[in-house]
Amino acid sequence: MGEIFAGRYELIDPIGRGGVGAVWRAWDHRRRRYVAAKVLQQSDAHTLLRFVREQALRIDHPHVLAPASWAADDDKVLFTMDLVNGGSLAHLTGDYGPLPPRFVCVLLDQLLAGLTAVHAEGVVHRDIKPANILLEATGTGRPHLRLSDFGIAMRKGEPRLTEANYVVGTPGYFAPEQMLGAEPDFPADLFAVGLVALYLLTGIKPDAEELIGHFADHGIPNAPEDVPEPLWQVLASLVHPNPDCRFKTATGARKAVLAAVEMLPEPTVEEEIVEVFDHIGPLPAGYGPDGPPKTKGAAGE
């Protein structure tokens, strides 16, 4: 049996590393289900700050992966969330390279639906990137994504907890106004969504600085080679350097994506089928759908 944390969570095997700590597959003895548990050292003040931010969120939406519970034990804390085992969009693009436009539109629709729920709570995510967008292992069926990692999310108007000139987020997915120290706002998240979409369609991380420079010198660029024109019209609005020229809401962007899909060419028979497979792998010997081999006497039993 694995280590029992706080008398409730049985840590089974490591399944990844987040930006602030190890991520484990764990068994929740009280809820009798497998969960993902991010384990953090209490001694790290910055880590704890991110923990407090993530734990404060309670957004219930099928395309959002927010923390569900937390616990503390000795010098560590953990928080848990649903176990999502299909890897991230970074994994998917690493496996397949450029993804079919219609498949990307399904992902975009789901991402913008989740972001609509996040923004409805007044929360700006501030770190949307392929590695923070996870996938259920749906095989060759319809994909199902979950927007995760709210460690640096902020509610609009809340005081910043870092120096005003300290830029927070992932380089390469910053909106231009973020780099200039603007207050966090929803259009910055939409800029990052546009860059993620370009990454999925081209298989290459977009050069945001080059893109911004082209807008400044020549106006809206032509559609990249792998991006159909109707979809590019949507993405060009998302990645416009001027936030006033972007979509005002995730809902508006989502409607535009759905309209663009109607104008895309029908998929060809040669188009590769994308499979979202299990990235976590089987449970260790003795563990099954009902949990550890022996749970008698554990918390909640």
Side-chain angles (χ1 to χ4, degrees):
M1 292 178 64
E3 174 190 353
I4 302 294
F5 191 100
R8 173 176 175 182
Y9 300 102
E10 183 167 337
L11 302 182
I12 300 170
D13 54 350
I15 56 176
R17 272 201 84 79
V20 295
V23 182
W24 290 72
R25 174 163 43 192
W27 176 255
D28 183 338
H29 283 281
R30 189 174 302 167
R31 298 171 67 197
R32 298 195 60 76
R33 59 179 291 191
Y34 290 104
V35 296
K38 191 178 290 189
V39 182
L40 317 171
Q41 295 289 336
Q42 287 196 32
S43 57
D44 184 342
H46 176 66
T47 293
L48 278 176
L49 177 61
R50 293 198 63 173
F51 162 73
V52 169
R53 283 194 183 282
E54 290 219 38
Q55 187 53 37
L57 283 164
R58 287 288 186 274
I59 298 173
D60 184 14
H61 188 275
H63 296 299
V64 176
L65 184 63
S69 61
W70 70 279
D73 195 1
D74 296 328
D75 64 338
K76 297 185 180 72
V77 295
L78 68 65
F79 61 91
T80 68
M81 60 203 77
D82 291 344
L83 187 63
V84 180
N85 55 4
S88 70
L89 291 187
H91 292 121
L92 190 66
T93 308
D95 289 338
Y96 287 95
L99 300 173
R102 285 181 175 273
F103 187 89
V104 171
C105 286
V106 173
L107 296 174
L108 268 181
D109 176 50
Q110 294 179 4
L111 175 57
L112 289 165
L115 196 57
T116 295
V118 172
H119 288 174
E121 295 295 325
V123 173
V124 185
H125 187 282
R126 297 207 299 164
D127 200 17
I128 293 173
K129 59 182 180 180
N132 285 344
I133 302 168
L134 305 183
L135 295 159
E136 307 281 358
T138 52
T140 56
R142 183 179 175 84
H144 186 107
L145 70 71
R146 308 283 297 274
L147 176 61
S148 72
D149 200 336
F150 289 81
I152 59 172
M154 286 185 66
R155 295 190 184 276
K156 279 188 63 173
E158 80 174 354
R160 297 197 196 191
L161 299 177
T162 56
E163 295 296 326
N165 61 353
Y166 180 68
V167 179
V168 181
T170 300
Y173 291 91
F174 290 136
E177 65 271 20
Q178 283 178 284
M179 296 300 296
L180 298 174
E183 289 297 317
D185 205 348
F186 304 143
D189 281 349
L190 295 176
F191 182 89
V193 168
L195 292 184
V196 168
L198 286 174
Y199 173 75
L200 298 178
L201 289 162
T202 64
I204 301 169
K205 182 178 178 180
D207 186 330
E209 289 188 15
E210 180 182 333
L211 195 61
I212 292 165
H214 193 292
F215 269 96
D217 297 336
H218 308 291
I220 298 174
N222 293 326
E225 183 178 349
D226 297 311
V227 183
E229 185 63 34
L231 187 52
W232 172 241
Q233 294 302 316
V234 180
L235 302 188
S237 175
L238 287 170
V239 299
H240 200 291
N242 183 349
D244 293 334
C245 295
R246 291 179 215 144
F247 288 100
K248 298 296 184 286
T249 65
T251 300
R254 186 183 179 199
K255 289 178 180 177
V257 168
L258 294 175
V261 171
E262 300 298 320
M263 294 183 280
L264 295 182
E266 290 298 319
T268 63
V269 292
E270 294 85 9
E271 192 166 275
E272 185 175 15
I273 295 175
V274 178
E275 179 180 1
V276 184
F277 55 87
D278 191 330
H279 277 252
I280 295 178
L283 288 159
Y287 289 85
D290 297 322
K294 293 181 181 179
T295 59
K296 188 174 181 179
E301 295 292 291

mmCIF file of all heavy atoms in Angstrom, residues 28-58:
data_model
loop_
_atom_site.group_PDB
_atom_site.id
_atom_site.type_symbol
_atom_site.label_atom_id
_atom_site.label_comp_id
_atom_site.label_asym_id
_atom_site.label_seq_id
_atom_site.Cartn_x
_atom_site.Cartn_y
_atom_site.Cartn_z
ATOM 1 N N ASP A 28 -8.776 8.332 -2.704
ATOM 2 C CA ASP A 28 -9.464 9.094 -1.672
ATOM 3 C C ASP A 28 -10.352 8.115 -0.907
ATOM 4 O O ASP A 28 -11.376 7.651 -1.425
ATOM 5 C CB ASP A 28 -10.292 10.200 -2.325
ATOM 6 C CG ASP A 28 -11.001 11.099 -1.320
ATOM 7 O OD1 ASP A 28 -11.200 10.660 -0.168
ATOM 8 O OD2 ASP A 28 -11.380 12.221 -1.699
ATOM 9 N N HIS A 29 -9.941 7.767 0.338
ATOM 10 C CA HIS A 29 -10.677 6.770 1.112
ATOM 11 C C HIS A 29 -12.082 7.253 1.491
ATOM 12 O O HIS A 29 -12.984 6.440 1.655
ATOM 13 C CB HIS A 29 -9.886 6.415 2.382
ATOM 14 C CG HIS A 29 -8.732 5.496 2.118
ATOM 15 N ND1 HIS A 29 -8.873 4.137 1.944
ATOM 16 C CD2 HIS A 29 -7.408 5.748 1.982
ATOM 17 C CE1 HIS A 29 -7.697 3.591 1.726
ATOM 18 N NE2 HIS A 29 -6.780 4.543 1.735
ATOM 19 N N ARG A 30 -12.253 8.552 1.629
ATOM 20 C CA ARG A 30 -13.565 9.055 2.032
ATOM 21 C C ARG A 30 -14.539 9.034 0.859
ATOM 22 O O ARG A 30 -15.685 8.605 1.004
ATOM 23 C CB ARG A 30 -13.423 10.479 2.590
ATOM 24 C CG ARG A 30 -14.693 11.000 3.235
ATOM 25 C CD ARG A 30 -14.445 12.350 3.899
ATOM 26 N NE ARG A 30 -13.379 12.251 4.897
ATOM 27 C CZ ARG A 30 -12.783 13.299 5.445
ATOM 28 N NH1 ARG A 30 -13.127 14.521 5.073
ATOM 29 N NH2 ARG A 30 -11.838 13.140 6.352
ATOM 30 N N ARG A 31 -14.070 9.485 -0.297
ATOM 31 C CA ARG A 31 -14.954 9.544 -1.468
ATOM 32 C C ARG A 31 -14.895 8.267 -2.302
ATOM 33 O O ARG A 31 -15.660 8.108 -3.233
ATOM 34 C CB ARG A 31 -14.577 10.755 -2.329
ATOM 35 C CG ARG A 31 -14.739 12.084 -1.603
ATOM 36 C CD ARG A 31 -14.149 13.227 -2.398
ATOM 37 N NE ARG A 31 -14.893 13.488 -3.627
ATOM 38 C CZ ARG A 31 -14.412 14.202 -4.645
ATOM 39 N NH1 ARG A 31 -13.199 14.700 -4.592
ATOM 40 N NH2 ARG A 31 -15.149 14.403 -5.717
ATOM 41 N N ARG A 32 -13.969 7.368 -1.952
ATOM 42 C CA ARG A 32 -13.804 6.081 -2.628
ATOM 43 C C ARG A 32 -13.667 6.249 -4.145
ATOM 44 O O ARG A 32 -14.443 5.703 -4.932
ATOM 45 C CB ARG A 32 -14.954 5.123 -2.283
ATOM 46 C CG ARG A 32 -15.043 4.785 -0.796
ATOM 47 C CD ARG A 32 -15.925 3.587 -0.527
ATOM 48 N NE ARG A 32 -15.433 2.387 -1.210
ATOM 49 C CZ ARG A 32 -14.390 1.653 -0.814
ATOM 50 N NH1 ARG A 32 -13.701 2.005 0.262
ATOM 51 N NH2 ARG A 32 -14.040 0.582 -1.505
ATOM 52 N N ARG A 33 -12.642 6.994 -4.519
ATOM 53 C CA ARG A 33 -12.365 7.210 -5.941
ATOM 54 C C ARG A 33 -10.905 7.610 -6.112
ATOM 55 O O ARG A 33 -10.262 8.095 -5.172
ATOM 56 C CB ARG A 33 -13.276 8.283 -6.525
ATOM 57 C CG ARG A 33 -13.159 9.618 -5.836
ATOM 58 C CD ARG A 33 -14.048 10.678 -6.450
ATOM 59 N NE ARG A 33 -13.586 11.046 -7.779
ATOM 60 C CZ ARG A 33 -14.050 12.087 -8.465
ATOM 61 N NH1 ARG A 33 -15.011 12.838 -7.952
ATOM 62 N NH2 ARG A 33 -13.597 12.365 -9.650
ATOM 63 N N TYR A 34 -10.389 7.385 -7.309
ATOM 64 C CA TYR A 34 -9.040 7.840 -7.632
ATOM 65 C C TYR A 34 -9.071 9.320 -7.979
ATOM 66 O O TYR A 34 -9.999 9.803 -8.640
ATOM 67 C CB TYR A 34 -8.472 7.034 -8.803
ATOM 68 C CG TYR A 34 -8.147 5.604 -8.455
ATOM 69 C CD1 TYR A 34 -8.977 4.561 -8.853
ATOM 70 C CD2 TYR A 34 -7.011 5.308 -7.710
ATOM 71 C CE1 TYR A 34 -8.686 3.246 -8.522
ATOM 72 C CE2 TYR A 34 -6.712 3.986 -7.384
ATOM 73 C CZ TYR A 34 -7.545 2.965 -7.787
ATOM 74 O OH TYR A 34 -7.257 1.670 -7.448
ATOM 75 N N VAL A 35 -8.041 10.029 -7.535
ATOM 76 C CA VAL A 35 -7.925 11.455 -7.795
ATOM 77 C C VAL A 35 -6.478 11.762 -8.172
ATOM 78 O O VAL A 35 -5.579 10.935 -7.981
ATOM 79 C CB VAL A 35 -8.317 12.305 -6.563
ATOM 80 C CG1 VAL A 35 -9.778 12.112 -6.205
ATOM 81 C CG2 VAL A 35 -7.422 11.974 -5.366
ATOM 82 N N ALA A 36 -6.259 12.948 -8.696
ATOM 83 C CA ALA A 36 -4.905 13.474 -8.866
ATOM 84 C C ALA A 36 -4.604 14.355 -7.667
ATOM 85 O O ALA A 36 -5.440 15.174 -7.266
ATOM 86 C CB ALA A 36 -4.798 14.271 -10.157
ATOM 87 N N ALA A 37 -3.431 14.157 -7.072
ATOM 88 C CA ALA A 37 -3.059 14.917 -5.876
ATOM 89 C C ALA A 37 -1.741 15.632 -6.121
ATOM 90 O O ALA A 37 -0.736 15.003 -6.468
ATOM 91 C CB ALA A 37 -2.924 13.981 -4.676
ATOM 92 N N LYS A 38 -1.743 16.930 -5.988
ATOM 93 C CA LYS A 38 -0.523 17.725 -6.122
ATOM 94 C C LYS A 38 0.041 17.954 -4.720
ATOM 95 O O LYS A 38 -0.632 18.528 -3.864
ATOM 96 C CB LYS A 38 -0.819 19.054 -6.816
ATOM 97 C CG LYS A 38 0.428 19.836 -7.237
ATOM 98 C CD LYS A 38 0.073 21.114 -7.973
ATOM 99 C CE LYS A 38 -0.491 20.855 -9.340
ATOM 100 N NZ LYS A 38 -0.639 22.117 -10.126
ATOM 101 N N VAL A 39 1.257 17.487 -4.483
ATOM 102 C CA VAL A 39 1.875 17.545 -3.155
ATOM 103 C C VAL A 39 2.900 18.665 -3.139
ATOM 104 O O VAL A 39 3.794 18.722 -3.988
ATOM 105 C CB VAL A 39 2.549 16.206 -2.803
ATOM 106 C CG1 VAL A 39 3.137 16.273 -1.393
ATOM 107 C CG2 VAL A 39 1.545 15.056 -2.899
ATOM 108 N N LEU A 40 2.787 19.548 -2.148
ATOM 109 C CA LEU A 40 3.629 20.736 -2.064
ATOM 110 C C LEU A 40 4.345 20.800 -0.723
ATOM 111 O O LEU A 40 3.820 20.338 0.294
ATOM 112 C CB LEU A 40 2.777 22.002 -2.225
ATOM 113 C CG LEU A 40 1.706 22.002 -3.312
ATOM 114 C CD1 LEU A 40 0.829 23.227 -3.162
ATOM 115 C CD2 LEU A 40 2.344 21.973 -4.679
ATOM 116 N N GLN A 41 5.511 21.397 -0.728
ATOM 117 C CA GLN A 41 6.238 21.637 0.522
ATOM 118 C C GLN A 41 5.724 22.912 1.175
ATOM 119 O O GLN A 41 5.659 23.964 0.539
ATOM 120 C CB GLN A 41 7.744 21.780 0.252
ATOM 121 C CG GLN A 41 8.405 20.532 -0.270
ATOM 122 C CD GLN A 41 8.520 19.449 0.809
ATOM 123 O OE1 GLN A 41 8.516 19.739 1.993
ATOM 124 N NE2 GLN A 41 8.609 18.202 0.365
ATOM 125 N N GLN A 42 5.357 22.827 2.453
ATOM 126 C CA GLN A 42 4.861 24.016 3.157
ATOM 127 C C GLN A 42 5.946 25.078 3.314
ATOM 128 O O GLN A 42 5.647 26.250 3.492
ATOM 129 C CB GLN A 42 4.335 23.636 4.541
ATOM 130 C CG GLN A 42 3.008 22.902 4.511
ATOM 131 C CD GLN A 42 2.341 22.879 5.878
ATOM 132 O OE1 GLN A 42 2.500 23.807 6.656
ATOM 133 N NE2 GLN A 42 1.606 21.831 6.162
ATOM 134 N N SER A 43 7.207 24.663 3.257
ATOM 135 C CA SER A 43 8.298 25.607 3.521
ATOM 136 C C SER A 43 8.488 26.623 2.400
ATOM 137 O O SER A 43 9.158 27.635 2.586
ATOM 138 C CB SER A 43 9.610 24.836 3.725
ATOM 139 O OG SER A 43 9.885 24.037 2.584
ATOM 140 N N ASP A 44 7.921 26.373 1.255
ATOM 141 C CA ASP A 44 8.097 27.249 0.110
ATOM 142 C C ASP A 44 6.955 28.262 0.072
ATOM 143 O O ASP A 44 5.825 27.945 -0.283
ATOM 144 C CB ASP A 44 8.119 26.412 -1.167
ATOM 145 C CG ASP A 44 8.410 27.251 -2.410
ATOM 146 O OD1 ASP A 44 8.256 28.482 -2.346
ATOM 147 O OD2 ASP A 44 8.777 26.657 -3.442
ATOM 148 N N ALA A 45 7.256 29.507 0.419
ATOM 149 C CA ALA A 45 6.206 30.527 0.520
ATOM 150 C C ALA A 45 5.531 30.759 -0.829
ATOM 151 O O ALA A 45 4.314 30.917 -0.913
ATOM 152 C CB ALA A 45 6.800 31.834 1.051
ATOM 153 N N HIS A 46 6.321 30.767 -1.907
ATOM 154 C CA HIS A 46 5.742 31.006 -3.231
ATOM 155 C C HIS A 46 4.810 29.859 -3.616
ATOM 156 O O HIS A 46 3.729 30.071 -4.166
ATOM 157 C CB HIS A 46 6.852 31.143 -4.270
ATOM 158 C CG HIS A 46 6.353 31.301 -5.673
ATOM 159 N ND1 HIS A 46 5.656 32.407 -6.096
ATOM 160 C CD2 HIS A 46 6.420 30.471 -6.747
ATOM 161 C CE1 HIS A 46 5.326 32.271 -7.366
ATOM 162 N NE2 HIS A 46 5.780 31.100 -7.789
ATOM 163 N N THR A 47 5.235 28.644 -3.305
ATOM 164 C CA THR A 47 4.401 27.477 -3.582
ATOM 165 C C THR A 47 3.083 27.572 -2.832
ATOM 166 O O THR A 47 2.016 27.303 -3.372
ATOM 167 C CB THR A 47 5.150 26.184 -3.176
ATOM 168 O OG1 THR A 47 6.262 26.026 -4.043
ATOM 169 C CG2 THR A 47 4.259 24.967 -3.289
ATOM 170 N N LEU A 48 3.161 27.960 -1.561
ATOM 171 C CA LEU A 48 1.944 28.076 -0.766
ATOM 172 C C LEU A 48 1.020 29.164 -1.296
ATOM 173 O O LEU A 48 -0.196 29.031 -1.251
ATOM 174 C CB LEU A 48 2.293 28.358 0.692
ATOM 175 C CG LEU A 48 2.663 27.126 1.506
ATOM 176 C CD1 LEU A 48 3.080 27.522 2.912
ATOM 177 C CD2 LEU A 48 1.487 26.164 1.579
ATOM 178 N N LEU A 49 1.603 30.228 -1.814
ATOM 179 C CA LEU A 49 0.786 31.290 -2.396
ATOM 180 C C LEU A 49 -0.008 30.748 -3.575
ATOM 181 O O LEU A 49 -1.219 30.999 -3.709
ATOM 182 C CB LEU A 49 1.685 32.444 -2.843
ATOM 183 C CG LEU A 49 0.995 33.615 -3.548
ATOM 184 C CD1 LEU A 49 -0.032 34.260 -2.641
ATOM 185 C CD2 LEU A 49 2.026 34.639 -4.003
ATOM 186 N N ARG A 50 0.656 29.965 -4.427
ATOM 187 C CA ARG A 50 -0.047 29.366 -5.562
ATOM 188 C C ARG A 50 -1.100 28.381 -5.069
ATOM 189 O O ARG A 50 -2.192 28.291 -5.634
ATOM 190 C CB ARG A 50 0.951 28.662 -6.491
ATOM 191 C CG ARG A 50 1.898 29.604 -7.200
ATOM 192 C CD ARG A 50 2.547 28.940 -8.396
ATOM 193 N NE ARG A 50 1.551 28.569 -9.399
ATOM 194 C CZ ARG A 50 1.868 28.097 -10.589
ATOM 195 N NH1 ARG A 50 3.130 27.943 -10.935
ATOM 196 N NH2 ARG A 50 0.931 27.767 -11.457
ATOM 197 N N PHE A 51 -0.758 27.634 -4.030
ATOM 198 C CA PHE A 51 -1.712 26.681 -3.467
ATOM 199 C C PHE A 51 -2.978 27.404 -2.997
ATOM 200 O O PHE A 51 -4.097 26.981 -3.280
ATOM 201 C CB PHE A 51 -1.054 25.930 -2.306
ATOM 202 C CG PHE A 51 -2.031 25.247 -1.392
ATOM 203 C CD1 PHE A 51 -2.701 24.108 -1.789
ATOM 204 C CD2 PHE A 51 -2.282 25.744 -0.124
ATOM 205 C CE1 PHE A 51 -3.604 23.473 -0.952
ATOM 206 C CE2 PHE A 51 -3.174 25.125 0.727
ATOM 207 C CZ PHE A 51 -3.839 23.982 0.305
ATOM 208 N N VAL A 52 -2.793 28.495 -2.273
ATOM 209 C CA VAL A 52 -3.939 29.254 -1.759
ATOM 210 C C VAL A 52 -4.786 29.770 -2.928
ATOM 211 O O VAL A 52 -6.021 29.715 -2.895
ATOM 212 C CB VAL A 52 -3.460 30.420 -0.873
ATOM 213 C CG1 VAL A 52 -4.614 31.362 -0.551
ATOM 214 C CG2 VAL A 52 -2.853 29.878 0.419
ATOM 215 N N ARG A 53 -4.133 30.249 -3.977
ATOM 216 C CA ARG A 53 -4.862 30.757 -5.138
ATOM 217 C C ARG A 53 -5.702 29.642 -5.767
ATOM 218 O O ARG A 53 -6.878 29.818 -6.054
ATOM 219 C CB ARG A 53 -3.886 31.304 -6.177
ATOM 220 C CG ARG A 53 -3.313 32.668 -5.865
ATOM 221 C CD ARG A 53 -2.667 33.208 -7.142
ATOM 222 N NE ARG A 53 -2.026 34.486 -6.942
ATOM 223 C CZ ARG A 53 -2.662 35.647 -6.869
ATOM 224 N NH1 ARG A 53 -3.976 35.665 -6.927
ATOM 225 N NH2 ARG A 53 -2.005 36.765 -6.710
ATOM 226 N N GLU A 54 -5.058 28.483 -6.010
ATOM 227 C CA GLU A 54 -5.775 27.386 -6.661
ATOM 228 C C GLU A 54 -6.916 26.888 -5.783
ATOM 229 O O GLU A 54 -8.017 26.607 -6.254
ATOM 230 C CB GLU A 54 -4.819 26.238 -6.984
ATOM 231 C CG GLU A 54 -3.832 26.567 -8.087
ATOM 232 C CD GLU A 54 -3.590 25.389 -9.003
ATOM 233 O OE1 GLU A 54 -4.547 24.656 -9.301
ATOM 234 O OE2 GLU A 54 -2.440 25.216 -9.427
ATOM 235 N N GLN A 55 -6.637 26.748 -4.488
ATOM 236 C CA GLN A 55 -7.631 26.173 -3.601
ATOM 237 C C GLN A 55 -8.838 27.083 -3.431
ATOM 238 O O GLN A 55 -9.926 26.636 -3.089
ATOM 239 C CB GLN A 55 -6.992 25.865 -2.241
ATOM 240 C CG GLN A 55 -7.874 25.099 -1.282
ATOM 241 C CD GLN A 55 -8.434 23.821 -1.898
ATOM 242 O OE1 GLN A 55 -7.763 23.139 -2.653
ATOM 243 N NE2 GLN A 55 -9.684 23.516 -1.595
ATOM 244 N N ALA A 56 -8.645 28.372 -3.684
ATOM 245 C CA ALA A 56 -9.752 29.327 -3.524
ATOM 246 C C ALA A 56 -10.794 29.186 -4.628
ATOM 247 O O ALA A 56 -11.899 29.701 -4.498
ATOM 248 C CB ALA A 56 -9.206 30.751 -3.508
ATOM 249 N N LEU A 57 -10.430 28.491 -5.710
ATOM 250 C CA LEU A 57 -11.348 28.397 -6.848
ATOM 251 C C LEU A 57 -12.319 27.238 -6.694
ATOM 252 O O LEU A 57 -11.936 26.143 -6.304
ATOM 253 C CB LEU A 57 -10.560 28.222 -8.144
ATOM 254 C CG LEU A 57 -9.908 29.506 -8.665
ATOM 255 C CD1 LEU A 57 -8.850 29.168 -9.692
ATOM 256 C CD2 LEU A 57 -10.965 30.405 -9.282
ATOM 257 N N ARG A 58 -13.568 27.484 -7.000
ATOM 258 C CA ARG A 58 -14.588 26.434 -6.992
ATOM 259 C C ARG A 58 -15.470 26.631 -8.224
ATOM 260 O O ARG A 58 -16.578 27.154 -8.134
ATOM 261 C CB ARG A 58 -15.434 26.511 -5.709
ATOM 262 C CG ARG A 58 -14.716 26.050 -4.464
ATOM 263 C CD ARG A 58 -14.540 24.518 -4.464
ATOM 264 N NE ARG A 58 -13.969 24.058 -3.214
ATOM 265 C CZ ARG A 58 -12.676 24.004 -2.956
ATOM 266 N NH1 ARG A 58 -11.809 24.397 -3.872
ATOM 267 N NH2 ARG A 58 -12.234 23.553 -1.799
#
